Amino acid sequence: MPRSRRSSRVSALEGGREEEAAAVPPAPLTSAQQTEAAAEQTVLRGIFEIGRGSCDVVLSERALRWRPIQPERPTGDSKYDMLCKEEFIELKDIFSVKLKRRCSVKQQRSGTLLGITLFICLKKEQNKLKNSTLDLINLSEDHCDIWFRQFKKILEVTEYEGHAVSLLKECELQGFDGRHWKPLFAIHWSVQRFFTGIQTLEPSVVCVGGDGSASEVAHALLLRAQKNAGMDTDGILTPVRAQLPLGLIPAGSTNVLAHSLHGISHVVTATLHIIMGHIQLVDVCTFSTTNKLLRFGFSAMFGFGGRTLALAEKYRWMSPNRRKDFAVMKTLAKLKPEDCEISFLPFNSSEDVQERRAQGSPKSDCNDQWQMIQGQFLNVSIMAIPCLCSVAPRGLAPNTRLNNGSMALIIARNTSRPEFIKHLKRYASVKNQFNFPFVETYTVAEVIVHPRNNSSRYNPEEEPRETASENSFPWNVDGDLMEVTSEVHVRLHPRLISLYGRSIEEMIPK
């Protein structure tokens, strides 16, 4: 990002306009930073016109720096000193480069060389990113060719010739549901049109959609990885990591997964994270019954959360927001607890315990102390990610991170309807949503939810369903309805998939 005491003129792609970047006073460099900057090896040095004046431009191993060329003046002129302040952008913020030419109607293929255009990623307020350009103007073909080749060399991303092809061959994606492929292809086309300077992207899968679509694609990638590794998918204890990173472009009504990953639900920010190659390893859960894998996922709700989604699925003809509000209100009107037995394994961060778990079922280890609670519960949430969204800016599980190796188990015991509504409303505020006598929170590695009677099963007289079994229990897994007829075993698997985004530590509001 350009940093200086004076404004720098950049051509903004967003909206097709040119805009003046705000003047941001640079933080004073420490002695260590000054030594490090001085120690950087200069790769190229030359003169370009940037903005409205000629500049001395230096390309080092980590940054591109420039300083206006001005005639000598008496020392002590503070105004002059401010104008000559050095500006720079870090090379990691440059995602593409192209030669800038002026083409006339008769010059369809090539035109008059004007210089070089750099495509850069800038950070705006909070977690939002924006794309901009920086023009380095010089009419010399030879001079620009040297700099252009050097920038291209810096931006190369494939490890070796044919690397991208070999990775794609390793992951056969024919098994994907066809409805996902249209948005996958669409995003690549929109990226090419929106960011015209992009030449190379890492092989990856990009999903445009809401939480349900994103979770389905993640499940498919992980399931394919297990099959490629020759593993029995129904008896997975230590699944292998997905072979390709997954990019998420938020296009749903809630976008919990994208919001937790990027710190904001913003299409341009999500796209720039993909282009810049900001990879983040994320924990994943497996949901299974006895000897059968149900699916991979990131979060789940049983009880109120599951019943609300099951009801909303009956009214798909409504708009998403109206359908969601209607289901919440109707489920609250018929609020009732679930009689359950919940067993859980508290999270232990010691490395030896984690290593033992990697060798077999944690429940078989006598040193791991399982705990059990039972009773009437209005809602049970199991979350491996913070689950940020517009209605819960701190997250549904604010003490969880993307890859801390644990899950949040949040239990709301039976209480009055007004008290439960107060608890739900707290999610939208900065107050502690867990500060209620009927709410319990645990940090766990595994959970088993075992319904003890038919109270949570579908009642065909109250909510007739044509496709669901009367003996099934509704779960909300990443916004998808999962219907199960028995207990569900949830296991946490650390850093199992690579997603495009920044570290969650920088994103959650304090």
Side-chain angles (χ1 to χ4, degrees):
M1 179 185 296
R3 300 179 175 90
S4 73
R5 291 186 182 273
R6 66 182 183 88
S7 298
S8 62
R9 188 175 181 83
V10 294
S11 174
L13 286 177
E14 194 170 347
R17 307 184 303 271
E18 288 192 349
E19 61 181 26
E20 295 289 338
V24 180
L29 295 177
T30 64
S31 58
Q33 290 173 324
Q34 292 175 347
T35 303
E36 183 179 354
E40 285 187 22
Q41 181 178 354
T42 298
V43 178
L44 288 175
R45 185 168 187 170
I47 297 176
F48 289 91
E49 181 180 335
I50 300 178
R52 299 177 180 176
S54 297
C55 296
D56 178 17
V57 182
V58 177
L59 176 64
S60 66
E61 296 173 323
R62 299 182 181 180
L64 179 72
R65 304 174 184 275
W66 65 94
R67 183 188 296 271
I69 299 175
Q70 299 285 349
E72 291 187 4
R73 294 188 181 183
T75 59
D77 189 336
S78 59
K79 183 178 180 181
Y80 171 73
D81 293 338
M82 182 175 295
L83 290 174
C84 291
K85 284 291 183 180
E86 181 183 79
E87 298 181 69
F88 74 96
I89 54 175
E90 297 181 76
L91 296 187
K92 66 180 182 179
D93 293 331
I94 302 174
F95 61 84
S96 193
V97 59
K98 74 172 185 178
L99 291 173
K100 182 180 180 67
R101 296 182 181 275
R102 179 190 292 119
C103 297
S104 62
V105 177
K106 297 181 180 180
Q107 296 173 314
Q108 296 183 358
R109 292 189 177 181
S110 63
T112 304
L113 178 70
L114 298 179
I116 299 172
T117 297
L118 300 177
F119 295 82
I120 57 179
C121 176
L122 304 178
K123 185 173 182 180
K124 297 177 71 176
E125 69 278 1
Q126 294 184 341
N127 300 298
K128 188 176 293 186
L129 302 180
K130 66 170 291 185
N131 55 291
S132 296
T133 59
L134 178 68
D135 293 330
L136 307 178
I137 304 301
N138 191 303
L139 303 183
S140 170
E141 290 272 1
D142 293 338
H143 186 66
C144 288
D145 183 67
I146 293 173
W147 282 73
F148 178 73
R149 289 177 181 273
Q150 188 61 44
F151 278 119
K152 289 279 289 182
K153 182 179 179 181
I154 292 172
L155 294 173
E156 287 178 356
V157 292
T158 51
E159 296 179 10
Y160 54 85
E161 185 177 357
H163 180 226
V165 175
S166 66
L167 280 178
L168 291 172
K169 285 182 178 179
E170 290 173 6
C171 190
E172 300 175 6
L173 301 177
Q174 292 91 335
F176 275 105
D177 191 316
R179 59 184 161 173
H180 294 306
W181 284 106
K182 286 184 180 179
L184 294 186
F185 287 128
I187 187 58
H188 285 299
W189 173 242
S190 65
V191 166
Q192 291 175 15
R193 295 185 62 190
F194 193 69
F195 302 103
T196 56
I198 297 173
Q199 282 82 28
T200 311
L201 288 174
E202 284 282 6
S204 57
V205 176
V206 178
C207 174
V208 185
D211 294 315
S213 297
S215 180
E216 282 189 51
V217 175
H219 168 74
L221 284 173
L222 287 165
L223 197 61
R224 172 57 62 182
Q226 312 317 308
K227 292 181 178 179
N228 287 349
M231 301 184 67
D232 178 12
T233 55
D234 285 334
I236 298 177
L237 293 178
T238 56
V240 298
R241 186 177 296 170
Q243 295 154 302
L244 294 178
L246 173 61
L248 306 178
I249 307 296
S253 58
T254 309
N255 303 309
V256 166
L257 185 54
H259 202 142
S260 298
L261 190 64
H262 307 135
I264 190 173
S265 182
H266 187 242
V267 171
V268 174
T269 296
T271 306
L272 284 171
H273 279 307
I274 296 170
I275 294 172
M276 299 300 293
H278 297 158
I279 295 292
Q280 177 76 14
L281 288 171
V282 179
D283 297 342
V284 180
C285 305
T286 51
F287 299 86
S288 59
T289 56
T290 305
N291 299 322
K292 181 176 176 58
L293 174 69
L294 298 175
R295 64 174 297 160
F296 292 93
F298 301 93
S299 65
M301 288 185 287
F302 177 77
F304 176 78
R307 283 181 169 275
T308 300
L309 179 61
L311 181 60
E313 287 297 304
K314 292 182 56 183
Y315 298 88
R316 300 289 297 182
W317 52 270
M318 289 185 178
S319 65
N321 289 334
R322 181 172 295 181
R323 180 173 68 243
K324 179 176 61 177
D325 293 342
F326 171 79
V328 168
M329 296 299 294
K330 191 169 184 179
T331 306
L332 282 173
K334 298 182 178 182
L335 186 66
K336 60 181 179 180
E338 319 289 1
D339 189 5
C340 296
E341 178 181 288
I342 301 175
S343 302
F344 61 91
L345 183 65
F347 173 67
N348 191 330
S349 60
S350 64
E351 295 183 2
D352 60 328
V353 171
Q354 297 301 319
E355 185 176 352
R356 289 200 310 272
R357 289 176 185 168
Q359 305 302 322
S361 173
K363 195 168 184 179
S364 64
D365 194 329
C366 61
N367 293 322
D368 291 330
Q369 300 298 318
W370 280 75
Q371 298 181 22
M372 190 266 288
I373 55 177
Q374 55 188 355
Q376 303 283 319
F377 305 110
L378 289 177
N379 190 71
V380 179
S381 298
I382 306 168
M383 299 179 173
I385 61 175
C387 294
L388 277 68
C389 60
S390 58
V391 296
R394 296 181 64 248
L396 300 177
N399 296 325
T400 305
R401 297 296 181 263
L402 292 176
N403 54 16
N404 64 348
S406 67
M407 300 181 292
L409 172 61
I410 305 168
I411 298 172
R413 291 184 178 270
N414 192 23
T415 188
S416 65
R417 184 182 293 108
E419 285 298 303
F420 185 67
I421 292 176
K422 286 181 182 179
H423 163 61
L424 296 180
K425 287 183 175 180
R426 280 277 184 93
Y427 282 98
S429 69
V430 296
K431 296 181 180 180
N432 185 355
Q433 61 262 42
F434 307 133
N435 190 22
F436 291 91
F438 57 88
V439 177
E440 302 173 16
T441 62
Y442 305 90
T443 302
V444 301
E446 290 190 52
V447 180
I448 298 176
V449 179
H450 178 71
R452 296 195 299 181
N453 61 21
N454 294 334
S455 66
S456 62
R457 303 187 183 212
Y458 292 123
N459 187 333
E461 295 181 0
E462 292 183 0
E463 302 294 342
R465 296 179 61 87
E466 298 178 359
T467 59
S469 168
E470 294 181 11
N471 295 323
S472 62
F473 300 91
W475 282 74
N476 181 339
V477 179
D478 297 329
D480 273 351
L481 180 62
M482 182 177 74
E483 298 166 345
V484 188
T485 58
S486 61
E487 69 178 24
V488 174
H489 191 161
V490 186
R491 290 185 176 93
L492 190 283
H493 304 280
R495 300 169 177 261
L496 198 58
I497 192 170
S498 298
L499 302 180
Y500 285 100
R502 282 294 194 188
S503 173
I504 197 65
E505 302 292 340
E506 305 171 3
M507 299 177 182
I508 300 180
K510 303 299 183 183

